[in-house]
Amino acid sequence: MFGFPIEVFNGLNQVVEPFVRAGFGNPILWPTGPMVVETIGRKSGRKINIPVLATRIGELIVFSTIRRDAHWLKNLAANPEVRYWLAGQPREVRASIVTADHQAMESTPPQAACLINFLQQQSRLLGISFALLTPRS
């Protein structure tokens, strides 16, 4: 991505992650800010914490990447039961990956339908993928 090796991002994430997990800059007062999402490695089975820039829309969380080959996207698709931290507290959610050809899952809450349609349009237009986190039922 932009010519930076993956090691640069990994090093930055290790420095930033503890502060973001503790709540620094989280989308509490403003709808967008950094958060930490914990995924499970699809091959390793290890817990992996990734800082992301996310937007909170009520109980829904949306974030994206321009890197279509991002491992965390593949991990979310393989293991959709994840956690994120908001104001230092973990929250259990279900992840959906939204792409141009996204198929709504039965577990997708009705309030997310409009948002998913919008994200699909953006995915077609911009060629990026989105992750949508919804409360577990």
Side-chain angles (χ1 to χ4, degrees), residues 56-119:
R56 187 172 54 89
I57 304 167
E59 292 185 327
L60 306 175
I61 304 290
V62 176
F63 53 99
S64 69
T65 180
I66 58 173
R67 294 175 31 225
R68 284 189 171 267
D69 63 340
H71 290 286
W72 60 263
L73 274 175
K74 296 172 186 175
N75 291 340
L76 287 175
N79 300 302
E81 303 298 320
V82 299
R83 292 194 305 177
Y84 73 88
W85 277 260
L86 185 64
Q89 300 297 314
R91 305 192 185 215
E92 306 286 327
V93 292
R94 180 164 182 83
S96 299
I97 303 303
V98 181
T99 62
D101 57 350
H102 173 82
Q103 298 296 318
M105 299 180 340
E106 289 180 24
S107 62
T108 301
Q111 71 267 31
C114 183
L115 179 58
I116 287 172
N117 287 336
F118 173 76
L119 294 175

Side-chain angles (χ1 to χ4, degrees), residues 33-49:
M35 291 177 33
V36 172
V37 176
E38 180 183 86
T39 66
I40 303 296
R42 67 194 179 286
K43 294 179 183 177
S44 69
R46 290 184 308 117
K47 292 181 180 180
I48 304 164
N49 294 317

